[in-house]
Amino acid sequence: MLATLGFIVPELIGTWPNDKGLFDASNPITALATVPALGLLQIVGVIYLIESRSSSAGGRVPGDLGFDPLGLSAKGIDEKYALAELKNGR
C-alpha cells in the first residue's frame, strides 16, 4: 500500500528538482529502466531476505510483520483486520 503512494505523489506534485539529471523519470515504471543491473540485483536480494525471514515466522497473527512505525497495533491487531489480511492473501 505504501508503494501506491509512489505512483500518486509524483503525479500530484511532480518529480524531484535537480541539476544533475537524477530521478528524471516521470513514473516508477520508466525509472526502473534506468536502474543498473547490479542495482536491480540488490533490490531483488533485499526483497528475498525480507520475504524469507518473514514467511518462516510461525505463531504470528496475520498482518503482523513487526512493521508498525506509528504504533497503531500497540494493543494487538483487531480480529476484523486480521481476517481481512487472510481474505486478501497478504
Side-chain angles (χ1 to χ4, degrees):
M1 289 186 208
L2 291 175
T4 306
L5 204 56
F7 280 97
I8 296 171
V9 171
E11 294 293 327
L12 296 177
I13 63 172
T15 58
W16 295 87
N18 60 62
D19 297 330
K20 297 182 179 182
L22 300 173
F23 306 113
D24 280 341
S26 61
N27 67 44
I29 302 300
T30 57
L32 186 62
T34 64
V35 178
L38 288 177
L40 287 175
L41 184 63
Q42 277 183 318
I43 293 169
V44 171
V46 168
I47 291 171
Y48 170 76
L49 287 174
I50 291 170
E51 290 293 328
S52 66
R53 290 179 186 251
S54 66
S55 67
S56 64
R60 63 179 174 82
V61 179
D64 183 14
L65 295 177
F67 177 73
D68 189 17
L70 300 177
L72 299 175
S73 66
K75 297 177 185 174
I77 294 180
D78 189 4
E79 289 182 24
K80 177 177 73 173
Y81 295 123
L83 182 61
E85 290 289 327
L86 287 173
K87 285 183 176 182
N88 289 307
R90 294 185 209 142

